[in-house]
Amino acid sequence: MSFKIGIVGLPNVGKSTLFKAITKNQVEAENYPFCTIDPNIGTVAVPDERIEKLSDISDSEKTIHTTIEFVDIAGLVKGAHEGKGLGNKFLSNIREVDAIVEVLREFQGKDIAHVEGSIDAERDRDIIDIELIMADIQLIEKVLPKIERDAKSGDKVLGKKLDILKKVKAFLEEEKMLRDLGLKEEEMELIKEYNFLTIKPIIYLRNVDGEIEEGGDVLEINAKIEEELAGFSPEEAEEYMKSFNMQESGLDKLIRKSYEALNLISFFTSGEKESRAWTVEKGSTAPKAAGKIHTDFEKNFIRAEIVSYEDFVSLGGWTKAREDGKIKDKGKDYIVQDGDVIFFKVGR
């Protein structure tokens, strides 16, 4: 399962430099607004040393990490919802991603122009948030008249959808993000088709000068350091990070935050042919996880043999784990846990 993370922000905040560093793709990152016009897309293997360990124990022919797609989207400016800058293009591109990383500039860089004329991360955050809110309001205003007409037929589902859209519109008009509205799962399903921008999970990322402050709700990354790290060997990167008191790379932190924002976990399959990491939403049942491997697996699911990553590693694989009674035989109601190593039994 690959998922898309959109990297957004005002022009010249370091989006493309960050994208190039974390994906190791060479893209334009010049000092002028709208350097990025069409979105750049880079697919990255999700770092997880657990899959490497499983592969060693099973002596697997292949080791396959799960992946994440980063999308470097054109810079947004004030008035984007009215079509200013590359507004319409920006907004259409961002609707296609699963979560948003909003890059806020805190590095000075006097030789790099700022579209607003000064460095103010909170102001920039407000500009982008308001543009997303206004774009969602515009979308509702476009679809509401038809829903109102059709709901007059007495259709109960349309009536519910109309009520939710009105509630959503009122909330947005208070300049609040829909992710904070607390919609129920049933309500979310009814308006899922509209793909509202402000309902997507968001990660705020400060692009800073110098050393990084660890912890907190807002992620800090020095894009220039990440750019340099991208060219190092793993050993060189580790030494370089130590010199900046960094415990992990910006990419690792960003992926971890992305998993948290999207409520994702990883499970594994491991054998002689391959060891592989898979991604599912937290709370997924065993058949749903099986469906990530192949759609027929969910439909024809029978049972799942499950052992924890810790037991698999400490006992040296399936054989000893079975001998020690560490393998659990689970049915359709089992909720998959992060780190589960699973063998699915399916029918035909």
Side-chain angles (χ1 to χ4, degrees), residues 273-292:
K273 287 189 176 180
E274 68 175 37
S275 287
R276 184 164 184 164
W278 305 87
T279 304
V280 291
E281 289 186 5
K282 195 179 291 183
S284 292
T285 61
K288 180 113 178 178
K292 296 299 177 183

Side-chain angles (χ1 to χ4, degrees), residues 182-199:
L183 291 171
K184 298 175 183 175
E185 189 174 339
E186 177 191 0
E187 294 175 311
M188 291 280 284
E189 194 60 34
L190 281 172
I191 62 171
K192 184 179 179 180
E193 65 185 283
Y194 302 114
N195 209 5
F196 290 119
L197 298 175
T198 62
I199 216 161

Side-chain angles (χ1 to χ4, degrees), residues 150-167:
D150 294 347
K152 289 178 181 177
S153 67
D155 187 298
K156 290 184 179 180
V157 173
L158 284 176
K160 286 181 181 178
K161 183 182 286 189
L162 179 61
D163 290 341
I164 297 166
L165 287 174
K166 285 181 176 179
K167 179 167 69 172

Side-chain angles (χ1 to χ4, degrees), residues 72-90:
D72 179 23
I73 297 172
L76 171 146
V77 295
K78 190 185 295 182
H81 70 281
E82 298 171 341
K84 292 183 180 178
L86 295 171
N88 293 329
K89 196 174 187 70
F90 169 94

Side-chain angles (χ1 to χ4, degrees), residues 73-300:
I73 297 172
L76 171 146
V77 295
K78 190 185 295 182
H81 70 281
E82 298 171 341
K84 292 183 180 178
L86 295 171
N88 293 329
K89 196 174 187 70
F90 169 94
L91 296 168
S92 64
N93 288 331
I94 200 173
R95 287 197 192 279
E96 304 305 315
V97 304
D98 299 301
I100 300 166
V101 173
E102 190 171 308
V103 181
L104 304 169
R105 177 175 171 179
E106 290 201 352
F107 69 90
Q108 293 303 311
K110 294 178 181 178
D111 56 329
I112 301 176
H114 191 293
V115 72
E116 290 293 319
S118 62
I119 308 299
D120 186 335
E122 293 307 311
R123 176 206 59 209
D124 294 353
R125 174 175 170 165
D126 289 344
I127 288 173
I128 295 172
D129 288 353
I130 290 296
E131 292 303 324
L132 299 181
I133 288 168
M134 293 304 297
D136 278 351
I137 290 174
Q138 284 184 342
L139 177 57
I140 291 177
E141 289 176 341
K142 191 179 293 183
V143 302
L144 260 183
K146 185 178 187 307
I147 299 293
E148 286 174 331
R149 285 196 307 271
D150 294 347
K152 289 178 181 177
S153 67
D155 187 298
K156 290 184 179 180
V157 173
L158 284 176
K160 286 181 181 178
K161 183 182 286 189
L162 179 61
D163 290 341
I164 297 166
L165 287 174
K166 285 181 176 179
K167 179 167 69 172
V168 162
K169 184 171 182 286
F171 194 76
L172 289 166
E173 285 172 343
E174 294 177 9
E175 298 187 353
K176 296 177 180 177
M177 298 289 209
L178 291 182
R179 72 182 67 88
D180 299 323
L181 179 53
L183 291 171
K184 298 175 183 175
E185 189 174 339
E186 177 191 0
E187 294 175 311
M188 291 280 284
E189 194 60 34
L190 281 172
I191 62 171
K192 184 179 179 180
E193 65 185 283
Y194 302 114
N195 209 5
F196 290 119
L197 298 175
T198 62
I199 216 161
K200 296 178 185 293
I202 193 163
I203 300 163
Y204 292 103
L205 185 154
R206 291 194 179 106
N207 187 8
V208 303
D209 288 316
E211 293 189 4
I212 310 299
E213 288 187 18
E214 303 286 354
D217 293 333
V218 178
L219 189 60
E220 284 195 5
I221 285 181
N222 184 319
K224 296 304 290 184
I225 291 177
E226 296 300 321
E227 190 175 29
E228 292 171 355
L229 281 172
F232 292 158
S233 69
E235 295 75 20
E236 290 170 331
E238 186 176 351
E239 286 302 313
Y240 191 69
M241 285 191 293
K242 283 181 183 177
S243 69
F244 288 97
N245 295 320
M246 293 170 61
Q247 298 172 8
E248 58 184 337
S249 73
L251 171 61
D252 288 354
K253 290 194 292 185
L254 181 52
I255 288 176
R256 182 162 41 79
K257 281 282 188 183
S258 299
Y259 265 63
E260 290 171 7
L262 289 166
N263 203 29
L264 301 174
I265 60 169
S266 294
F267 73 92
F268 307 103
T269 53
S270 187
E272 289 182 7
K273 287 189 176 180
E274 68 175 37
S275 287
R276 184 164 184 164
W278 305 87
T279 304
V280 291
E281 289 186 5
K282 195 179 291 183
S284 292
T285 61
K288 180 113 178 178
K292 296 299 177 183
I293 298 173
H294 195 288
T295 51
D296 286 347
F297 281 22
E298 181 174 4
K299 183 173 61 176
N300 300 319

Side-chain angles (χ1 to χ4, degrees), residues 40-63:
N40 297 297
I41 300 175
T43 303
V44 176
V46 173
D48 192 332
E49 59 186 23
R50 293 178 297 179
I51 191 63
E52 303 289 347
K53 190 71 175 175
L54 292 174
S55 188
D56 287 343
I57 290 170
S58 297
D59 196 20
S60 303
E61 294 175 16
K62 293 181 181 179
T63 304

